[in-house]
Amino acid sequence: MTNPSHLLVDRQDHIVTVTLNRPEQRNALSLPLMLELTHVLHQIGNSDARGVILAANGPVFSAGHHFADMAGHSHAEVRELFRICTAMMDLLQALPQPVVARVHGLATAAGCQLVATCDLAVAAQSASFALPGGKGALFCHTPLVAVARNLGRKRALELAMTGDPIDARTAADWGLVNRVAPDDQLEAATLDLITRATRGPANAKAVGKQAYYRQMELPQPAAYAHAGDVMAENAVGAAAQESFRAFLDKRKH
């Protein structure tokens, strides 16, 4: 791994923890941070790591976009900023490894988008989530893309239109995070989830993750066709065939 200046990267066994490390900027997703995170994610995706934890230092998980990247800039410059952000978010879902967000404090706007984009998420009991653009002049258009794919329409629009934060329990009830842990148990709960999510052959997990995101984009008949093709290909592979034989041989005894 490189030595990034906006992040901390730590590998323990087969799990890589990437920590946003600009607490003085409330871990805003500035252009340099997003470029650095994109680079690090590419490195992880090409490594033999089995899982990723995305965390943050300081009192805030992430305050979203850095307004200095937008104030006084042209339409073309701001549009490029959002393109870079979208590419980073898409990369999280394109990685072969499961990615779990470990959320404490406030995740707001594009910070909330970051949580919604991760495959899985664990929140501290004191965490909160918001799309605050509904209270101001900049509606959270792009964050809502990811958030709305986690929540139902009315709940997503309530977040976006009111701008009001929701607490961690509500976020779990609404489907934005998988579970809530006491603040002092957040790291352990996140490690438990990523450990369980990385069981089994890594290649099968990677194929399963990509097939999931692909079929979610399709109408149901096409989704079944795609999933069936992928599952059939997996079923005739050596690893699955060996597991079938082992199960059937055990049943014979």
Side-chain angles (χ1 to χ4, degrees):
M1 301 292 175
T2 59
N3 294 310
S5 58
H6 298 271
L7 309 168
L8 298 176
V9 182
D10 176 63
R11 176 166 177 166
Q12 298 294 328
D13 297 324
H14 62 279
I15 305 298
V16 180
T17 300
V18 180
T19 304
L20 309 184
N21 194 36
R22 295 305 302 269
E24 74 284 359
Q25 292 185 350
R26 296 163 59 89
N27 294 314
L29 300 182
S30 65
L31 180 58
L33 187 149
M34 290 193 296
L35 291 172
E36 197 167 271
L37 180 54
T38 300
H39 180 68
V40 167
L41 290 174
H42 275 298
Q43 289 186 315
I44 295 171
N46 291 322
S47 75
D48 63 351
R50 295 291 305 276
V52 182
I53 296 172
L54 185 62
N57 278 336
V60 174
F61 178 79
S62 176
H65 284 295
H66 192 32
F67 288 165
D69 292 332
M70 293 182 278
H73 289 264
S74 69
H75 175 275
E77 290 170 329
V78 176
R79 187 67 188 87
E80 176 64 8
L81 177 75
F82 292 145
R83 186 200 65 77
I84 290 169
C85 181
T86 298
M88 180 191 74
M89 299 289 178
D90 285 345
L91 179 56
L92 283 165
Q93 295 182 348
L95 289 182
Q97 299 94 343
V99 180
V100 181
R102 189 178 78 201
V103 189
H104 74 282
L106 178 65
T108 184
C112 188
Q113 177 187 1
L114 189 61
V115 176
T117 300
C118 290
D119 305 315
L120 306 166
V122 181
Q125 193 166 353
S126 62
S128 58
F129 304 82
L131 298 181
K135 292 181 176 180
L138 184 61
F139 195 85
C140 288
H141 299 279
T142 51
L144 188 57
V145 172
V147 171
R149 282 160 170 75
N150 288 238
L151 279 56
R153 175 172 62 88
K154 285 183 169 58
R155 284 172 169 170
L157 284 173
E158 179 179 343
L159 268 181
M161 289 180 169
T162 68
D164 293 335
I166 58 172
D167 61 24
R169 292 292 177 191
T170 303
D173 289 343
W174 286 11
L176 186 59
V177 301
N178 293 84
R179 58 182 47 82
V180 177
D183 287 22
D184 62 354
Q185 297 175 30
L186 177 61
E187 289 192 18
T190 306
L191 182 60
D192 172 70
L193 181 57
I194 191 63
T195 299
R196 291 184 291 109
T198 53
R199 290 182 297 207
N203 182 65
K205 194 79 65 174
V207 172
K209 173 176 169 174
Q210 295 314 309
Y212 168 78
Y213 284 116
R214 176 61 182 141
Q215 63 87 15
M216 286 295 289
E217 300 171 351
L218 301 171
Q220 183 166 301
Y224 269 122
H226 177 69
D229 286 343
V230 174
M231 194 164 185
E233 185 173 349
N234 273 193
V236 300
Q241 288 293 312
E242 176 59 30
S243 68
F244 298 154
R245 284 191 293 270
F247 177 81
L248 293 172
D249 289 345
K250 184 178 180 180
R251 288 285 297 271
K252 290 176 183 177
H253 294 295

